[in-house]
Amino acid sequence: MASIGDFDPLNTRVPATKIEVTAYLLIMFLCSLLSTLVVVLYVQAVGTKEWREFGRTEVIDNTRNPDFVRKFVLDFFFEEKQNLRFDVYNVDSRSCNISKYDFLGQTFCTLGEIISSTGGRVEKTLSGIPGKKCGVIIFTAEELSNCRDIATMQLCANKLDKKDFFGKSDPFLVFYRSNEDGTFTICHKTEVIKNTLNPVWQSFTIPVRALCNGDYDRTVKVDVFDWDRDGSHDFIGEFTTSYRELSRGQNQFNVYEVSHVLCFLSPSFYNTIVISLTKRLPGNPSQPTSLHYMSPYQMNSYAMALRAVGEIIQDYDSDKLFPAYGFGAKLPPDGKISHAFPLGGDAENPNCLGIEGVLEAYFQSLRTVQLYGPTNFAPVINKVANCAAEITDGSQYFVLLMITDGVISDMVQTKEAVVNAAALPLSIIIVGVGPAEFDAMEELDGDEVRVSSRGRLAERDIVQFVPFRDYIDRSGNHVLSMARLAKDVLAEIPDQLLSFMKSRGVEPRPSLSSSPLPELHRNI
């Protein structure tokens, strides 16, 4: 089966080294008229703006609220922004050519946005037709197990209720698997057997992971309907079972009474962003010689690094509020040097709304502070570590993104801060911009040799450093540059998170639909 992983212009993906989440997307559509509907999924290759068709749902006739059986199975990469586009069409032609269909609306989102949402469920408004309300589309996602079993079964019924005034019923079955929040996801429909109360449906095969995601004791609900041409199928009844119970019928019949009913480990991330406002090269931000140059035509390296990483990690943050700090600058009115000041200028509230808010605060600070020095890392690392130390139950995980252009001035204190922070739910991403030598940064990135301080080794490797200059695309494709950067700096976050959870014996727990996901704390 195709996956987003097939479209990889970087040719560097190694799915086996990542946390791979494969998602089923359950899609529902609401429109004002009965339609024959299909949803088409398009994916965007990394580093390009080209949309490529990934797959289509089945076509459902005469409905305003289709519940599609066919799912989209996608390879999930935490460190990449995987853009998705869903187009909805009214199928009024037998052709497979989409241009022959009537366009009903579309929506855009990322795979990370769906996966990180409460209960793995996202609701989006469809747009694309001026002056018309196109409806609502709903996505749900669930990580697939590695179960490769296939189930073959055949069902029959006896003495079903008569629902048609003339003749008998036209029954068919709909199978649903239960979700952790108590809802159900459709996974199979049988054919319709016309004009009978004692139907015998054809045998069918279904992957066990589609039926119960490999959990043999997971509840499976089966609804019985009487088919109507206009799509308003009459409900006959339902029963519940499990795959384990169904499998006992291999050598004997399972009998169910059809009753007529009338009526995840998902820690949130807290991301903090810290930007160095030291003066390493001549010139001020209004001059092209400055690394902080505010060009009207393109982003500087700081802004590109911030957008590249921030646009991905913000998908895992429910409120999209980013504490954003600067360091190494003289602040008005007295010119005092600060190593941790809010970019937005509000000492009581350092939060910025989304990455755009952080960029706005960054550019505003360039107009009000004086770039200076030195480049001290320890104060901001300790500031975020103090926050992480308050919540160590696995409900929240902190990510500190530091963007700097200079050599570390307080290396001894920084190493001690990293060693202390390694025992906390915290990861540190450092992006170096400009031509400086970053040997000290490499020492903090403990891939080869674990960071130590005063004879103590860091409990975990929590630092990932990359020099931005290594990711500049020679052709000038900034989109590809940012995609490469984000991929490498975020690739280690899932393993770092898991290493903390395992070290503290934190077990995954199911999400409750009524409870918000733990928040991912962000520091910029």
Side-chain angles (χ1 to χ4, degrees):
M1 181 173 290
S3 70
I4 285 183
D6 296 333
F7 312 132
D8 180 20
L10 307 182
N11 293 318
T12 54
R13 282 180 171 152
V14 186
T17 64
K18 301 180 177 70
I19 296 178
E20 180 178 302
V21 178
T22 307
Y24 273 131
L25 303 184
L26 170 64
I27 304 163
M28 301 178 67
F29 179 71
L30 178 65
C31 59
S32 58
L33 298 174
L34 293 178
S35 302
T36 300
L37 301 172
V38 67
V39 174
V40 183
L41 168 61
Y42 295 86
V43 299
Q44 197 173 52
V46 178
T48 75
K49 296 183 178 180
E50 177 188 1
W51 289 102
R52 301 178 61 177
E53 181 177 338
F54 180 82
R56 305 181 187 186
T57 64
E58 76 275 19
V59 175
I60 297 184
D61 296 331
N62 300 324
T63 182
R64 286 177 292 187
N65 300 62
D67 200 353
F68 295 103
V69 175
R70 187 177 302 164
K71 312 295 192 294
F72 302 113
V73 178
L74 307 170
D75 289 331
F76 171 63
F77 297 88
F78 174 86
E79 69 275 15
E80 297 179 14
K81 184 178 183 181
Q82 295 172 265
N83 293 318
L84 309 176
R85 187 184 97 205
F86 296 87
D87 290 0
V88 183
Y89 293 91
N90 179 28
V91 180
D92 54 4
S93 167
R94 294 184 178 180
S95 172
C96 293
N97 189 342
I98 291 179
S99 64
K100 305 291 185 181
Y101 305 160
D102 294 330
F103 177 71
L104 296 180
Q106 67 180 185
T107 192
F108 300 83
C109 65
T110 67
L111 184 56
E113 182 181 354
I114 299 172
I115 291 171
S116 63
S117 61
T118 301
R121 183 181 186 276
V122 168
E123 184 173 309
K124 289 283 188 178
T125 300
L126 292 166
S127 61
I129 302 179
K132 294 191 68 175
K133 293 183 178 179
C134 299
V136 173
I137 190 166
I138 298 171
F139 309 107
T140 65
E142 180 179 0
E143 181 178 357
L144 288 182
S145 70
N146 292 322
C147 179
R148 294 293 184 267
D149 295 346
I150 300 292
T152 300
M153 64 184 79
Q154 183 175 23
L155 290 93
C156 61
N158 187 36
K159 297 181 181 180
L160 293 176
D161 284 352
K162 179 177 180 294
K163 293 296 181 180
D164 293 341
F165 186 77
F166 295 104
K168 301 177 181 179
S169 294
D170 304 318
F172 68 96
L173 303 176
V174 181
F175 288 72
Y176 304 85
R177 71 167 181 265
S178 61
N179 301 317
E180 291 177 343
D181 61 359
T183 62
F184 288 87
T185 297
I186 189 172
C187 56
H188 182 73
K189 284 183 183 178
T190 67
E191 76 281 10
V192 175
I193 305 295
K194 292 293 188 68
N195 196 31
T196 181
L197 301 181
N198 305 298
V200 178
W201 289 280
Q202 295 179 10
S203 64
F204 64 90
T205 60
I206 182 173
V208 171
R209 71 178 187 181
L211 189 65
C212 62
N213 206 12
D215 180 356
Y216 287 11
D217 297 309
R218 189 171 184 168
T219 299
V220 175
K221 182 166 73 81
V222 182
D223 286 352
V224 186
F225 289 95
D226 170 40
W227 177 86
D228 287 326
R229 186 180 301 276
D230 63 1
S232 59
H233 311 308
D234 299 317
F235 180 67
I236 295 177
E238 68 176 11
F239 65 89
T240 59
T241 183
S242 67
Y243 177 66
R244 187 180 303 280
E245 187 174 345
L246 286 169
S247 65
R248 294 193 183 111
Q250 293 181 19
N251 299 310
Q252 61 184 10
F253 288 107
N254 284 334
V255 179
Y256 302 95
E257 180 178 353
V258 176
S259 60
H260 192 159
V261 181
L262 296 177
C263 333
F264 77 162
L265 173 70
S266 261
S268 68
F269 288 84
Y270 188 92
N271 310 301
T272 301
I273 300 173
V274 178
I275 298 178
S276 167
L277 294 176
T278 56
K279 183 178 178 181
R280 293 289 173 179
L281 293 177
N284 60 54
S286 63
Q287 301 297 322
T289 53
S290 173
L291 290 171
H292 294 281
Y293 177 49
M294 295 184 289
S295 169
Y297 305 109
Q298 67 180 36
M299 294 184 293
N300 62 36
S301 295
Y302 279 88
M304 280 195 285
L306 174 58
R307 185 182 293 277
V309 179
E311 284 191 344
I312 292 177
I313 59 177
Q314 74 175 352
D315 279 344
Y316 304 90
D317 172 32
S318 58
D319 61 12
K320 305 294 187 288
L321 293 177
F322 291 80
Y325 298 91
F327 67 96
K330 288 185 175 182
L331 307 185
D334 55 6
K336 184 178 179 180
I337 298 174
S338 174
H339 297 293
F341 61 90
L343 285 180
D346 187 347
E348 300 299 323
N349 182 17
N351 292 331
C352 298
L353 182 57
I355 294 305
E356 293 303 325
V358 177
L359 285 168
E360 182 180 346
Y362 162 58
F363 289 125
Q364 179 61 33
S365 70
L366 292 178
R367 300 183 181 95
T368 58
V369 306
Q370 179 186 350
L371 306 185
Y372 203 71
T375 304
N376 289 351
F377 276 22
V380 290
I381 294 176
N382 288 330
K383 186 179 188 70
V384 178
N386 288 337
C387 295
E390 297 178 1
I391 310 170
T392 59
D393 62 355
S395 63
Q396 297 182 345
Y397 195 82
F398 292 69
V399 177
L400 170 61
L401 169 61
M402 305 183 71
I403 307 175
T404 182
D405 63 352
V407 177
I408 300 177
S409 305
D410 62 340
M411 189 61 180
V412 173
Q413 294 87 343
T414 296
K415 289 170 67 175
E416 183 172 2
V418 170
V419 170
N420 292 334
L424 302 171
L426 172 64
S427 289
I428 302 171
I429 298 170
I430 304 173
V431 179
V433 299
E437 293 297 327
F438 295 114
D439 293 346
M441 309 291 190
E442 298 286 359
E443 184 179 350
L444 294 179
D445 189 340
D447 287 341
E448 302 296 333
V449 179
R450 192 69 57 85
V451 179
S452 63
S453 173
R454 300 183 182 183
R456 291 189 303 135
L457 283 176
E459 186 176 309
R460 300 180 297 126
D461 172 22
I462 64 169
V463 178
Q464 173 74 345
F465 166 75
V466 295
F468 185 74
R469 58 178 177 248
D470 290 354
Y471 296 86
I472 298 177
D473 186 72
R474 294 180 180 178
S475 66
N477 186 336
H478 295 310
V479 174
L480 190 57
S481 296
M482 291 191 293
R484 287 171 172 163
L485 173 69
K487 174 182 173 57
D488 278 5
V489 299
L490 292 172
E492 295 184 8
I493 297 295
D495 285 340
Q496 291 174 358
L497 183 151
L498 286 176
S499 70
F500 173 79
M501 300 300 178
K502 290 179 179 179
S503 70
R504 296 299 181 271
V506 178
E507 296 292 335
R509 54 184 179 271
S511 300
L512 297 177
S513 58
S514 60
S515 303
L517 288 176
E519 190 173 342
L520 173 55
H521 293 266
R522 36 201 189 283
N523 294 279
I524 301 180

